[in-house]
Amino acid sequence: MNTMNKHVMDEAIGETRLDRGTQGVIGKGAPRYEGKLKVSGTAPYAYEYLAGEDVAYGFIVPASIAKGTIRSVDATKAEAVPGVLTVISGDRIVRAASQPMAPAAQTIDGEVFHYNQPVAVVIADRFETARHAAKLVKVDYDAKEGRFDIAARTTVREPASMPMEPNQTRGDFESAFAKAEIQYDQTFTTPSYQAAAMEPHATTAKWDGERLTVWTSHQLLETAPGQLSKHTGVDADKITVHSPYIGGGFGSKLGLGPDAVMACLGTIATGKPVKIALTRQNVFQATSRRGETVQRVRIGVTKAGKITCFAHETDTTNSPGNGFFEPSGISSVFLYPGEDRIVSHNIVETDVLMASACRAPGEATGMLATEGALDEIAEQLGLDPVEFRRMNEPEVNPQTDTPFSSRRLIDCIEEGARRFGWSDRPKTPGSRREGEWLIGMGMASASRKNDLMESSAEIEMSPDGRATVRTGMTDIGTGTYTILQQIAAEMLGLPLDMVDVELGDSRFAPSSGSGGSWGANSAGSSVYVASLALIRELASRIDADAETLTLKDGHAISGNRQIPFADILKGEAISVTGKIEPGKQAEETHQASYGAHFCEVAVNVVTGETRIRRLLTVGAAGRILNEKTATSQCYGGQIWGIGYALEEDLVIDKRNGLIVNHDLAEYHVPVHADVPQLDVVLLEDRDPHASPLAGKGIGELAIAGVGAAITNAIYNACGVRIRDYPATLDKILAELPDDYLTAA
């Protein structure tokens, strides 16, 4: 028997069993639940299922134009190759990944929307055969003129409300800005980026004539069966999707990839299981990307340093028919004051691969601009950047007057300044030198909006007192298995090795999925709710009060009684399901995680290259559920921030829309030589408004603002301002004063 138990987050949470902590495992850096499987190579990923079975392989046929219609697809030569089972083309082919939570991916419908868009897929008995035959498929096109440059602003449209309300105003900004004593007005640009997860998008699909079973690398299982049903015609309740292990996603796998759809079409057409793993070039050209941005930042300030008005206006790209936009102003809504405000976004339509969510959508690009702007204004006013932020700390959300659920921004900044030795920062650019290297320090704030998503989980306690957590949640490498194990163990008074966790199965209780920094708190809260229900059931069986019942090491302790769980269960298993839903707290408080980054760089006056020497991140994200995995997430964000500051640039040929650097040989990401010893400090924190766990998201917080801290440090080192990312050496060399080189 299984009972459903629901908790709606209408009230702030008080003290809970997690605070009392009889097991002492919550928050600790427990080793990864699945760690041994991963380091031994026995954790199965999507492409590795059905090993030893007679399977077929798929390979995508990409479009050789960027815009136009498909006149015909001639697969005659391909189908004549021995071993080719079928070539699938037509309107059911999808043009890219699906948008997160969309009903389905967009089909091509006889058109080409971007260069290297899938137009067909070859299914063969061997991978090499499919790859060879794909080159023999002849596609005839009617090419049309395309739009590939954001600067051209050919078609501009207002986006839909995804993932935030795109245009928000308050007061009369233009009038207030015209009256401001100090007027800051600059434009920042960021290029397109790729998530480039280590595991490419990959799928194994099997059709048995009645049921479709799919193993795929996918972050959000709840909508996956419905999406596949739209494409295949198979009823959603006859589709099972598995995704227990994912080798990274960063938002690019929130929507199903074209590999999943075409593997399903292939197995239905041939009757054989089909495997499709996208090549790295396919991943870059046919899944999703982060759109380019042009961001105008205007801030009015008094001569004393008080911000009076604030505007952050963003143009960003996406392909036709896509409502998602890069929400660069998502933190600008609440981070800094200004009675009169504009936060706006427009989509510039281009005929390039669709843009979608990528790690920290909005903050990762927007804070490159706003945190650079804050540094410039502080320098113009002769104020320390730390002091400038301290004196402009709002008491409530300046856009809506909503109170903050908790806000430790200034605490993070002050703790970071103390630890980093900020008081030793060079007072003027170029004043600290070591041979050819100029040394500088920079800092930036960090913020990430917090969301609690509807989520559910089942806990089954077997007759011997062992607990198993089952939920459709996924683990993209963030440590979800371990965190859910810790929550259940702490709540139920069990040693960690008495709790099992099963994830990534669409038949399990539907969960929030991994993304948006909401996974740990949403899925974890559903485990919390299920645990409370299980505790009530145990208490009722021994006629005890659930509130005062103590659970420790597999025993229930009530009064002078200490009873093993096995004795309470008497050979019977108990199964309960817990569900968490957001409530009034999400509307009545503004919830976000906060942090600060401090960076020291060296800039070479001869080559213009930048080397990161030190990088510190201080974060406050409510209760930290696992210190080890949370710190690891911050390391990843810091490294990604280094890439956005100095290297990453998805180059789009403005003549034809081709993504030129469509692999990891040419799309540059930080390597070991680019990354110094990283330092992460997580402040003790609780946010009772955010979730029953009193925690908030941290996975994306650590990337927000890192790049600006680096470019602010570059300015402090050599006096060169970067507003066009990335800060490659050619941009720095062109602006370096000649006397720096003369003195080298």
Side-chain angles (χ1 to χ4, degrees):
M1 180 179 178
N2 187 296
T3 59
M4 170 64 78
N5 302 268
K6 184 172 74 172
H7 179 85
V8 180
M9 197 65 193
D10 284 334
E11 304 290 340
I13 203 77
E15 184 185 68
T16 69
R17 288 179 178 268
L18 295 178
D19 298 299
R20 298 193 289 271
T22 58
Q23 289 300 124
V25 296
I26 201 70
K28 300 295 191 298
R32 287 181 180 266
Y33 173 84
E34 81 290 10
K36 291 182 180 179
L37 294 177
K38 287 183 174 177
V39 298
S40 63
T42 53
Y45 288 81
Y47 198 69
E48 299 173 313
Y49 283 91
L50 306 186
E53 291 195 26
D54 181 19
V55 302
Y57 298 85
F59 200 88
I60 288 174
V61 178
S64 58
I65 65 169
K67 178 71 173 175
T69 56
I70 300 171
R71 289 176 174 168
S72 63
V73 178
D74 184 357
T76 306
K77 291 184 179 180
E79 291 171 333
V81 175
V84 170
L85 303 177
T86 189
V87 177
I88 301 172
S89 60
D91 292 346
R92 289 192 297 170
I93 299 296
V94 296
R95 72 196 215 195
S98 62
Q99 289 288 1
M101 303 176 191
Q106 295 170 309
T107 51
I108 63 175
D109 300 324
E111 293 190 61
V112 175
F113 293 88
H114 62 268
Y115 211 114
N116 280 344
Q117 164 199 295
V119 293
V121 60
V122 176
I123 310 296
D125 60 357
R126 296 173 63 241
F127 169 78
E128 292 82 2
T129 302
R131 181 177 59 185
H132 166 66
K135 298 182 183 299
L136 302 179
V137 176
K138 179 177 174 56
V139 184
D140 189 25
Y141 304 100
D142 181 10
K144 299 178 182 178
E145 185 176 349
R147 304 156 298 175
F148 313 120
D149 188 355
I150 186 174
R153 309 293 209 285
T154 308
T155 303
V156 180
R157 56 186 170 89
E158 184 174 319
S161 299
M162 186 176 74
M164 64 175 286
E165 188 62 42
N167 297 314
Q168 303 180 41
T169 62
R170 175 170 175 161
D172 184 350
F173 171 81
E174 299 296 349
S175 176
F177 186 69
K179 298 174 184 175
E181 294 177 338
I182 304 293
Q183 298 173 341
Y184 176 87
D185 185 352
Q186 292 290 348
T187 297
F188 294 76
T189 61
T190 63
S192 183
Y193 301 111
Q194 239 291 334
M198 186 177 294
E199 179 199 18
H201 295 62
T203 299
T204 300
K206 183 177 183 177
W207 170 248
D208 65 7
E210 292 186 1
R211 294 199 61 84
L212 182 60
T213 306
V214 184
W215 297 266
T216 189
S217 187
H218 185 52
Q219 296 174 231
L220 180 59
L221 292 191
E222 184 177 359
T223 55
Q227 290 177 332
L228 290 175
S229 177
K230 293 279 188 181
H231 293 293
T232 62
V234 179
D235 290 343
D237 60 4
K238 293 183 178 179
I239 301 175
T240 302
V241 181
H242 301 273
S243 194
Y245 299 103
I246 305 171
F250 314 113
S252 73
K253 297 175 183 175
L254 279 169
L256 279 174
D259 53 293
V261 175
M262 288 186 273
C264 290
L265 295 176
T267 186
I268 292 171
T270 64
K272 295 180 66 172
V274 170
K275 291 176 179 281
I276 297 180
L278 299 187
T279 65
R280 187 58 65 182
Q281 292 79 12
N282 288 154
V283 170
F284 273 64
Q285 300 274 14
T287 58
S288 64
R289 65 188 177 101
R290 194 195 295 270
E292 308 97 302
T293 73
V294 177
Q295 304 174 50
R296 185 184 184 189
V297 179
R298 292 183 289 166
I299 303 175
V301 191
T302 67
K303 292 179 180 179
K306 285 286 190 178
I307 295 174
T308 59
C309 54
F310 192 103
H312 187 184
E313 299 157 291
T314 300
D315 283 350
T316 184
T317 57
N318 212 332
S319 57
N322 276 291
F324 180 91
F325 63 97
E326 176 67 17
S328 296
I330 197 165
S331 278
S332 297
V333 173
F334 64 88
L335 196 55
Y336 296 116
E339 186 67 25
D340 301 279
R341 313 174 60 80
I342 296 174
V343 177
S344 67
H345 302 82
N346 286 308
I347 290 178
V348 177
E349 231 174 56
T350 58
D351 300 304
V352 185
L353 172 66
M354 80 168 195
S356 188
C358 188
R359 187 175 188 175
E363 294 95 345
T365 54
M367 297 188 78
L368 292 175
T370 56
E371 291 304 303
L374 264 286
D375 198 74
E376 291 191 46
I377 297 170
E379 193 265 344
Q380 183 178 347
L381 293 170
L383 292 172
D384 184 285
V386 166
E387 177 59 28
F388 184 46
R389 286 165 173 81
R390 185 187 292 114
M391 63 191 297
N392 282 289
E393 174 70 352
E395 295 183 0
V396 295
N397 181 331
Q399 193 77 31
T400 62
D401 293 330
T402 307
F404 296 116
S405 61
S406 72
R407 181 169 164 125
R408 303 283 305 279
L409 175 60
I410 299 303
D411 292 341
C412 291
I413 290 174
E414 291 179 344
E415 180 67 13
R418 183 185 67 80
R419 287 174 177 264
F420 201 72
W422 182 253
S423 59
D424 295 331
R425 176 177 179 258
K427 303 306 179 189
T428 57
S431 61
R432 184 174 298 173
R433 185 165 189 155
E434 297 176 7
E436 294 180 354
W437 298 91
L438 298 173
I439 314 302
M441 294 185 193
M443 62 82 56
S445 300
S447 64
R448 168 65 184 171
K449 184 180 182 295
N450 182 71
D451 288 303
L452 179 67
M453 307 292 283
E454 186 174 305
S455 197
S456 54
E458 176 197 5
I459 301 180
E460 180 182 4
M461 182 169 280
S462 59
D464 63 354
R466 188 175 195 88
T468 301
V469 177
R470 296 187 183 94
T471 170
M473 182 63 179
T474 54
D475 188 334
I476 52 175
T478 53
T480 304
Y481 278 101
T482 314
I483 288 166
L484 300 188
Q485 181 193 40
Q486 288 174 277
I487 294 169
E490 194 69 77
M491 292 292 293
L492 299 175
L494 287 170
L496 284 174
D497 61 7
M498 285 291 288
V499 179
D500 296 314
V501 182
E502 298 177 11
L503 303 179
D505 189 320
S506 63
R507 297 169 298 182
F508 292 165
S511 184
S512 63
S514 299
S517 292
W518 62 58
N521 272 290
S522 301
S525 292
S526 65
V527 173
Y528 171 93
V529 175
S531 298
L532 288 180
L534 192 54
I535 292 167
R536 289 193 294 269
E537 177 63 24
L538 291 172
S540 71
R541 295 191 177 203
I542 60 173
D543 195 25
D545 178 26
E547 292 297 322
T548 59
L549 184 66
T550 298
L551 305 177
K552 183 172 175 59
D553 295 332
H555 292 74
I557 304 169
S558 177
N560 60 358
R561 297 180 298 167
Q562 181 168 318
I563 310 171
F565 291 166
D567 290 351
I568 300 174
L569 297 170
K570 297 179 180 179
E572 180 186 357
I574 303 175
S575 179
V576 298
T577 298
K579 183 177 183 181
I580 185 71
E581 292 182 1
K584 294 178 182 177
Q585 290 299 296
E587 302 167 0
E588 295 175 355
T589 64
H590 185 274
Q591 301 173 14
S593 300
Y594 296 93
H597 308 290
F598 290 82
C599 180
E600 180 179 273
V601 303
V603 179
N604 192 288
V605 297
V606 177
T607 66
E609 66 183 299
T610 298
R611 292 292 180 191
I612 313 295
R613 306 208 335 177
R614 292 189 293 145
L615 182 57
L616 164 68
T617 293
V618 180
R623 184 196 304 276
I624 300 300
L625 301 172
N626 183 311
E627 186 178 25
K628 182 183 294 185
T629 56
T631 300
S632 180
Q633 283 292 288
C634 290
Y635 289 153
Q638 289 175 310
I639 294 168
W640 209 329
I642 292 171
Y644 276 13
L646 302 179
E647 302 172 41
E648 293 191 48
D649 183 356
L650 195 63
V651 179
I652 299 164
D653 192 323
K654 292 179 175 56
R655 300 168 301 175
N656 56 22
L658 173 67
I659 295 175
V660 179
N661 52 342
H662 52 197
D663 55 40
L664 292 176
E666 295 296 334
Y667 182 78
H668 296 161
V669 297
V671 296
H672 288 296
D674 301 317
V675 181
Q677 181 67 41
L678 302 173
D679 195 7
V680 171
V681 176
L682 303 175
L683 299 185
E684 183 72 20
D685 192 22
R686 298 287 187 275
D687 190 336
H689 306 276
S691 76
L693 309 180
K696 293 185 284 194
I698 199 169
E700 293 166 299
L701 175 69
I703 189 177
V706 172
I710 293 169
T711 52
N712 291 341
I714 289 173
Y715 175 79
N716 183 246
C718 67
V720 176
R721 284 287 182 196
I722 297 296
R723 302 188 191 100
D724 177 26
Y725 284 87
T728 48
L729 57 86
D730 55 312
K731 297 172 185 175
I732 294 173
L733 272 176
E735 300 296 327
L736 280 176
D738 292 338
D739 57 344
Y740 285 171
L741 184 60
T742 305

